[in-house]
Amino acid sequence: MTDRIYLDYAATAPVSDKAFAAALPYYKDIFYNPSSAHALGQLASSATERAREKCATAIGARADEIYFTSGGTEAINWAFSSVSDAEGKHIVLSAIEHDAAIACAENLRSRGFSVDYVRPDADGIVTADALEAVLRDDTALVCVMTVNNIVGSVQPIKELCAAAHRRGALFFTDAVQAMNALDIDVSDSGVDMLAVSGHKLYAPKGVGFLYIRRGVSVAPMMLGGEQERGLRAGTLDVPSVVALGAAAEEATADREKNNAHVKAVRNEFLRTLDCGAPVVCGRAVDDIVSVVFDGVNGGRLAVALSCAGVCCSVGSACSAGSAVPPRTLVEMGVKNADSSVRFSFGRGTTVEQAAKAARIVNDAVLRLKGQIV
Ligand code: PMP
């Protein structure tokens, strides 16, 4: 379609062939309302229930613990609403959460909650010790993302969750950037809620789910009909839900192969890059890397790269346009965080593209530094 090189899979990924093919029949042939009691409606509802099973299997949950949403942001908002009637209580989140989680926490603060942020260490990891230091007996909710969207750091979710549970708090994790690379198992980690977004998982935009452990009580996200067991009213987007189920199944089946591919791409990119310092994490997925280019403004570099045919970003797509450096890097203590650019790789990135993109970056950095004209 274009000879531009797309290195922004953490912003969004294309719909996979399998997810697309799974969704197609539900636009025209099987267009029925899954809430209709008649036989045709049941064709649609059995498709959404099969998708629910697939999403549940992908994270080690039960089907009745999966609630479809319009994406990651809605799932995060919903998870925070689980404590919204606990005025006066305390919530804790990592300082490197997505804007959606930070906005929800600040909203709760304005309604009388107290809020504490836990900083990551220099490796981008939130440790159980750091969390324990701020937990209180009245902590209602702890929120730490599974994989950070700027540096790819993988958080020790099982340990963090255990620490929260020891103090009687619920534990929520945003797994939006984790579903491609990691085997997620909520029965092992013990998390109470987990958010997933379709469009980072090769399913469409505008669909996702919130896992809510059986027994955890949450307020309805949307009032109206009885959809999603009365907790999220509104007719489901059947094709997107079906695509999400297919994408979740595919990600699990192909994880090893996809991870090996992305690792090869990332290694080639970093091998060819002869400027900049990749931000190193204690443990990170290979899909995402932020690189600091001393002496160059990250925003200006990203614009120059876009003009030269490489599409990447400064921070997350959701905070694009803001002039502040990525919060994650600042909280990790990375110097010159405003000189950073995020590159993220996916199934469609070739090793050749990675090498070519890195050469274009080398050239653009020299030009911005005025060392070539
Ligand atoms: N959490 C993380 C870590 C993300 O990267 C994103 C997408 N930028 C979201 C949440 C929001 O997901 P959605 O775009 O589906 O609302």
Side-chain angles (χ1 to χ4, degrees), residues 4 50 70 207 216 324:
R4 290 206 169 89
R50 279 196 301 276
S70 66
V207 70
V216 171
V324 293

Side-chain angles (χ1 to χ4, degrees), residues 293-308:
F293 300 93
D294 276 346
V296 169
N297 175 271
R300 286 188 63 202
L301 177 57
V303 170
L305 289 175
S306 174
C307 295

Side-chain angles (χ1 to χ4, degrees), residues 48 111 161 196 264 297 308 347 357:
T48 59
R111 290 164 45 198
C161 178
V196 169
N297 175 271
R347 297 177 200 166

Side-chain angles (χ1 to χ4, degrees), residues 71-73 76 98 145 149 174 176-177 197 199-200 318:
T73 299
I76 291 168
H98 186 265
M145 70 206 319
N149 53 321
D174 166 356
V176 166
Q177 296 288 351
S197 168
H199 71 112
K200 316 286 176 163
C318 301

